[in-house]
Amino acid sequence: MNARRLSPLALLLPMLLIGCAAAPDRPETLRQALLNLGERAANRVMEAPALPRPPGDQVLLLANPEVNGELGVSQERFRESLTRALLAVNDGPQVLDWTESMGTGGGANQWRLESRLMADGPRLRLSDRELLPYRLTLVLRRPDSEPVIWEESLQGALDASAL
């Protein structure tokens, strides 16, 4: 009998609260943008002809990424996205953080992955948003050696409203 006395506003309030809870916020948008970038990078690394097959037998040692502050992306967030994407690869390599102490005595199955995320031009202003062009450079080296074994660059643009 109490259900008949509920006002339409009382029925509408729970629906509004559910809608607000489901609305994406800016951190989720940023996270998704970085996850997508990490996935693109991971796919390129897995395609690198320098990596022996199968990749599951390899160990990628991730160096601290270099990230341009103009993009509004922290080094930690980008590194997390790249690490997650590499770990998500089916039958992919093991992924460890690289430190200077790992520079000597690396096994034949170890590869140092360096990454550099840089602004690649001025902001692009569209009618509804701004885009931040970027260039992501990925480099594979042996842990105890400086020569580049493989290098790839990805270009794109991040939505500034997500940052």
Side-chain angles (χ1 to χ4, degrees), residues 39-111:
E39 287 173 0
R40 283 184 61 207
N43 288 336
R44 289 292 176 92
V45 171
M46 292 300 96
E47 295 169 357
L51 283 179
R53 302 291 179 242
D57 293 341
Q58 305 306 312
V59 177
L60 285 180
L61 305 169
L62 264 58
N64 279 329
E66 183 181 339
V67 179
N68 185 300
E70 291 179 39
L71 292 172
V73 175
S74 72
Q75 180 184 36
E76 294 80 25
R77 288 191 96 163
F78 175 69
R79 183 182 184 132
E80 177 188 354
S81 295
L82 181 57
T83 301
R84 285 179 183 271
L86 287 165
L87 289 171
V89 173
N90 286 336
D91 298 322
Q94 297 176 48
V95 180
L96 302 171
D97 290 340
W98 182 80
T99 62
E100 292 292 328
S101 64
M102 295 176 165
T104 60
N109 67 335
Q110 293 183 354
W111 305 86

Side-chain angles (χ1 to χ4, degrees), residues 18 21 32-33 51:
I18 290 170
Q32 190 59 48
L51 283 179

Side-chain angles (χ1 to χ4, degrees):
M1 187 160 201
N2 287 340
R4 291 184 189 168
R5 293 186 180 186
L6 290 176
S7 71
L9 181 59
L11 294 173
L12 185 60
L13 184 60
M15 293 173 67
L16 288 173
L17 291 175
I18 290 170
C20 290
D25 56 6
R26 291 171 64 108
E28 281 301 313
T29 307
L30 170 61
R31 182 175 179 175
Q32 190 59 48
L34 289 178
L35 286 175
N36 290 343
L37 179 56
E39 287 173 0
R40 283 184 61 207
N43 288 336
R44 289 292 176 92
V45 171
M46 292 300 96
E47 295 169 357
L51 283 179
R53 302 291 179 242
D57 293 341
Q58 305 306 312
V59 177
L60 285 180
L61 305 169
L62 264 58
N64 279 329
E66 183 181 339
V67 179
N68 185 300
E70 291 179 39
L71 292 172
V73 175
S74 72
Q75 180 184 36
E76 294 80 25
R77 288 191 96 163
F78 175 69
R79 183 182 184 132
E80 177 188 354
S81 295
L82 181 57
T83 301
R84 285 179 183 271
L86 287 165
L87 289 171
V89 173
N90 286 336
D91 298 322
Q94 297 176 48
V95 180
L96 302 171
D97 290 340
W98 182 80
T99 62
E100 292 292 328
S101 64
M102 295 176 165
T104 60
N109 67 335
Q110 293 183 354
W111 305 86
R112 186 174 75 207
L113 177 62
E114 299 171 358
S115 55
R116 191 171 53 251
L117 181 61
M118 297 288 146
D120 194 31
R123 290 178 177 244
L124 303 173
R125 299 187 195 288
L126 304 177
S127 61
D128 61 341
R129 60 189 159 165
E130 282 187 339
L131 298 177
L132 302 169
Y134 68 82
R135 178 183 300 268
L136 173 59
T137 304
L138 304 164
V139 174
L140 279 176
R141 302 176 196 271
R142 302 301 292 181
D144 56 354
S145 179
E146 285 304 311
V148 173
I149 295 171
W150 173 83
E151 184 172 349
E152 181 81 22
S153 288
L154 302 171
Q155 290 179 285
L158 296 171
D159 186 343
S161 66
L163 306 174

